[in-house]
Amino acid sequence: MVKQWYWYDWLMFIIRLICSISLMFTTIGLEQYFTLPIVVLVLWQLIAFSVPWLCLQLDFKYYLFTEIVISGGLCLYLASFFPQAYFSFLLYAFLIAAHSSQRSYLWSGPISILLLPAIIKLLAEQSEYWVMAVHIGLAYIFGFSFHLLVLNHRQGETIREQNSVLEQYLSQIERITLAEERNRLSKELHDTVGHAYTSLIMGLETLRPELTTDTGTERLDSLLNLGRKNMEEVRSYVHQIESPHEALPLFQSLRKLAEEFQEHAKVTVRFHAYGEEYSVTKQAKTALYRCLQESLTNAVRHGHSTEIKVSVQFEPGQTRLEIQDNGRGMEHGREGFGLSAMKERAMNLQGHVAVYTEPGEGTLVTCTLPRQAELEDELITLLVVDDQPFFRESLRTLLEKHHDLQVVGTAEDGEQAIELCRQVQPQLVLMDLDMPIMDGISASRIIKETWPHIGILILTTFEDTRKALEAMRSGVDGYLLKSMQPLELAETIRTVYRGGTLIDQGMSHKLFAQLEADSSEDDPSPIKESLAYELTPRELEILQLVSKGLRYKSIASKLYLSDGTVRNYASSAYMKLGVRNREEAVEKAREAGLLE
């Protein structure tokens, strides 16, 4: 076990070394007065020097016992021949007091100050007991004062280290907050001004057939050129506002975070990358960045680690981040807000965060995210449903820039969407909520009941939690805001196509708050009890069906969800309950009164 030494550790080691060397030379010079052979005495002194010191590296209680027995026994033997030899025990008394921790001085003090002088008095009658007790007592007091000084120094070091870690953490939070605000502003510019220009240009193009004179055509071309020029300027502003951190590749971004943390927290961070780096989605990059940030902070702040190993692995089908420290580890079942947030981010991307820890053996955090990329051999067919024609055409144009996305139809209300689903059988529907004739929630419910295999992704403008809850209960596979960037929308479409379920992060927090507000204090249903484990109503519903012996495919068909979505919900519920499989989950849920 490697222990970091400070100035006081070296000081006490030097005191011990000087004391042992001087005592050894004195013993050799007076060897004719002792009954034991000089070889035995020298060996005894070597043991008195090394054994207590080695025990000190493991546990202070072992040290105190060996120091009193071995070193104290040596001093007693010498004092039986030379009463003044008790002076050799003064330095040992100083060391004993300096290492007496956690109220161990209540027994080490009386033994050193009272018992040893009494034994010396019995062995050498001419010795003065109280003189020896006072001298040893003063040495013990000096040692205990030194112990208090060391303790104060250690606490100061701990406070400084914690402050350094917190300052690093706050600086990262400030940076991420600014980045998120920049992203929000860039999204608003892109999706308001940018879409307005796109709609304006498309609208002007529709007027071209109605113009008959050359002058009108020239004026139209002039307006179109002005609109396109201004739209390019808006796009350039958006790119300038984007955070420079977002522009860095994943490897550079994570390595920079590790280097900054090492510099500020004064801890060794070893960073390695394996495999050929490829581009990851913005959501995945944010999830991995936050996972590394939280793990580094926990390793030093709670685990008191001195060395942290970080590795990012670019595998063909997934990206894996591992953070391993040599700290104290943590107790099982204790998850703070940061760890829960990490798991939620990964789960939203169909990923997984695992924590392996044992008290005293450090912690290993792994974050695994599936690789989200364009599907080379597959084509995702889409149906766009929105009552704004300009938005429908703009969205078609943006999505069809991706080789694996194809818009096979557009509809302006729920009834048209149902009819087109019957005709073209799309794989995914992008559905608006507020539409005439039939709204998006009613259309989604009918589509899911008729064609459960068709995925539905709500794409709306307003953050209405009531409508979001109603939409999720209708079986939709995602709920997003129109303010998201087109690239993120394409990534989300691929995630939902693969069986995932995604909700806008800001909306997810509001939804959970709304669910807790809706649960009555007097409600005896399992939903109230499930709050203790932070189970969502959908997770509780799937637990109920699992307890009845239904398989995931049957549950998916019954709830109009995909098989992958059901598995994600089940895995999340197992994680929150702290179990490994469905049998343990059902048993624990019954014990907690979560199942009817």
Side-chain angles (χ1 to χ4, degrees):
M1 180 177 180
V2 180
K3 177 183 176 182
Q4 184 178 3
W5 277 33
Y6 297 95
W7 61 268
Y8 43 82
D9 295 306
W10 286 106
L11 177 61
M12 286 188 279
F13 177 77
I14 293 172
I15 291 174
R16 182 178 199 84
L17 182 63
I18 294 174
C19 176
S20 299
I21 292 175
S22 62
L23 188 59
M24 184 178 297
F25 280 109
T26 303
T27 303
I28 294 174
L30 300 172
E31 61 176 309
Q32 67 272 17
Y33 295 100
F34 302 112
T35 57
L36 290 176
I38 190 61
V39 176
V40 176
L41 282 177
V42 171
L43 180 61
W44 192 350
Q45 290 177 4
L46 290 174
I47 293 174
F49 168 78
S50 59
V51 172
W53 179 79
L54 291 174
C55 291
L56 180 62
Q57 310 309 308
L58 300 176
D59 191 287
F60 73 94
K61 292 181 180 178
Y62 298 148
Y63 160 77
L64 294 176
F65 178 77
T66 54
E67 189 79 280
I68 292 173
V69 172
I70 301 176
S71 303
L74 176 62
C75 294
L76 288 175
Y77 176 78
L78 299 177
S80 64
F81 296 94
F82 298 97
Q84 295 79 10
Y86 79 88
F87 282 106
S88 63
F89 188 71
L90 297 183
L91 287 176
Y92 290 117
F94 175 86
L95 295 174
I96 290 172
H99 294 297
S100 293
S101 303
Q102 299 180 6
R103 302 178 69 86
S104 60
Y105 58 85
L106 294 177
W107 60 270
S108 66
I111 292 176
S112 303
I113 300 172
L114 302 177
L115 182 59
L116 261 72
I119 297 176
I120 295 174
K121 176 65 176 176
L122 293 175
L123 296 175
E125 295 182 357
Q126 66 270 33
S127 301
E128 297 182 5
Y129 173 78
W130 291 110
V131 174
M132 291 187 295
V134 170
H135 288 166
I136 296 175
L138 288 175
Y140 192 92
I141 290 173
F142 280 119
F144 192 74
S145 301
F146 186 78
H147 165 72
L148 295 179
L149 176 64
V150 169
L151 187 63
N152 182 66
H153 181 270
R154 287 175 177 170
Q155 291 176 345
E157 282 292 322
T158 302
I159 292 173
R160 284 189 288 273
E161 290 176 0
Q162 296 289 345
N163 284 339
S164 178
V165 173
L166 289 175
E167 287 175 1
Q168 170 70 4
Y169 189 75
L170 289 175
S171 67
Q172 294 293 337
I173 289 295
E174 181 181 6
R175 182 182 305 172
I176 292 174
T177 302
L178 290 174
E180 289 180 346
E181 182 62 20
R182 288 171 176 171
N183 291 335
R184 185 192 64 80
L185 184 57
S186 67
K187 287 178 184 178
E188 290 185 358
L189 282 174
H190 179 278
D191 295 319
T192 54
V193 182
H195 281 304
Y197 275 117
T198 301
S199 301
L200 177 62
I201 291 171
M202 290 180 178
L204 290 174
E205 286 285 1
T206 60
L207 296 177
R208 187 180 297 276
E210 301 178 12
L211 298 176
T212 56
T213 63
D214 293 338
T215 303
T217 303
E218 291 177 359
R219 291 184 61 187
L220 177 61
D221 290 336
S222 175
L223 289 174
L224 286 172
N225 291 332
L226 179 62
R228 291 190 178 99
K229 180 181 178 181
N230 289 337
M231 187 168 67
E232 290 299 323
E233 290 181 357
V234 170
R235 287 177 177 172
S236 66
Y237 294 149
V238 168
H239 290 304
Q240 291 174 11
I241 290 175
E242 286 181 350
S243 170
H245 160 72
E246 298 292 340
L248 290 176
L250 176 63
F251 170 73
Q252 294 183 21
S253 177
L254 297 181
R255 184 175 63 180
K256 184 177 180 182
L257 173 61
E259 291 173 350
E260 291 178 353
F261 189 86
Q262 177 176 250
E263 178 182 355
H264 292 88
K266 308 302 180 184
V267 61
T268 302
V269 181
R270 307 186 187 279
F271 191 90
H272 301 281
Y274 304 95
E276 185 177 353
E277 182 176 8
Y278 46 74
S279 61
V280 298
T281 66
K282 184 177 179 181
Q283 294 169 322
K285 183 188 293 186
T286 302
L288 293 170
Y289 190 90
R290 291 290 184 90
C291 182
L292 176 59
Q293 180 190 42
E294 187 68 27
S295 299
L296 291 174
T297 304
N298 288 341
V300 176
R301 186 180 179 188
H302 302 298
H304 301 280
S305 307
T306 58
E307 183 177 349
I308 306 171
K309 297 178 181 178
V310 180
S311 66
V312 56
Q313 303 172 23
F314 295 96
E315 302 173 5
Q318 62 184 13
T319 308
R320 178 189 296 269
L321 175 67
E322 293 186 355
I323 307 99
Q324 184 171 11
D325 64 66
N326 64 345
R328 300 176 180 176
M330 63 181 183
E331 297 179 10
H332 291 287
R334 291 189 59 183
E335 291 188 5
F337 174 77
L339 185 57
S340 300
M342 282 195 298
K343 291 185 175 181
E344 180 183 347
R345 284 178 178 273
M347 188 177 65
N348 286 342
L349 297 173
Q350 287 188 286
H352 178 65
V353 171
V355 181
Y356 306 94
T357 182
E358 289 292 339
E361 297 184 7
T363 302
L364 171 64
V365 179
T366 63
C367 178
T368 305
L369 299 179
R371 183 180 179 183
Q372 302 285 3
E374 289 192 3
L375 307 174
E376 297 180 357
D377 302 326
E378 296 183 73
L379 185 65
I380 305 176
T381 55
L382 306 171
L383 173 63
V384 178
V385 185
D386 195 286
D387 60 337
Q388 298 293 328
F390 293 153
F391 181 80
R392 292 197 304 270
E393 295 305 320
S394 300
L395 195 57
R396 177 201 286 269
T397 303
L398 293 171
L399 291 176
E400 289 191 340
K401 291 180 180 179
H402 301 272
H403 300 299
D404 59 338
L405 304 181
Q406 180 183 10
V407 178
V408 294
T410 60
E412 62 182 16
D413 57 60
E415 287 189 355
Q416 286 188 12
I418 295 171
E419 182 61 29
L420 283 174
C421 283
R422 181 177 291 107
Q423 295 175 9
V424 299
Q425 289 287 302
Q427 293 166 326
L428 190 67
V429 179
L430 303 180
M431 181 80 71
D432 190 18
L433 283 182
D434 295 322
M435 295 180 294
I437 304 178
M438 180 182 290
D439 61 20
I441 295 176
S442 302
S444 298
R445 186 178 294 111
I446 295 174
I447 292 172
K448 277 296 184 181
E449 290 175 354
T450 310
W451 304 283
H453 63 279
I454 296 180
I456 299 179
L457 189 60
I458 296 296
L459 199 59
T460 185
T461 305
F462 304 103
E463 300 185 31
D464 190 329
T465 54
R466 293 289 181 183
K467 287 188 176 181
L469 279 174
E470 190 176 353
M472 297 305 294
R473 287 167 181 156
S474 300
V476 301
D477 301 281
Y479 190 99
L480 300 175
L481 302 179
K482 290 181 178 179
S483 57
M484 74 182 313
Q485 294 183 1
L487 180 58
E488 292 182 61
L489 177 58
E491 296 163 358
T492 303
I493 289 173
R494 297 185 188 106
T495 299
V496 173
Y497 172 75
R498 292 185 175 105
T501 300
L502 286 182
I503 306 176
D504 179 80
Q505 186 178 355
M507 282 298 302
S508 66
H509 295 306
K510 293 182 179 181
L511 285 174
F512 291 143
Q514 186 66 52
L515 286 171
E516 292 184 6
D518 290 344
S519 59
S520 172
E521 291 292 333
D522 299 326
D523 184 8
S525 67
I527 294 179
K528 185 173 184 292
E529 285 79 357
S530 68
L531 295 178
Y533 291 97
E534 299 181 350
L535 293 175
T536 64
R538 178 66 82 180
E539 291 168 349
L540 182 61
E541 184 180 15
I542 289 176
L543 265 181
Q544 295 276 8
L545 296 174
V546 167
S547 67
K548 297 177 181 178
L550 296 180
R551 312 304 295 179
Y552 290 142
K553 288 186 178 180
S554 301
I555 296 174
S557 177
K558 185 178 182 66
L559 298 181
Y560 305 108
L561 299 175
S562 67
D563 183 43
T565 301
V566 173
R567 291 181 183 274
N568 283 340
Y569 279 123
S571 298
S572 174
Y574 298 166
M575 212 180 312
K576 292 177 180 179
L577 290 172
V579 297
R580 293 171 295 182
N581 51 52
R582 63 169 61 207
E583 290 77 13
E584 292 180 4
V586 171
E587 181 180 355
K588 188 165 186 178
R590 290 191 190 281
E591 292 176 356
L594 300 177
L595 301 178
E596 297 176 349

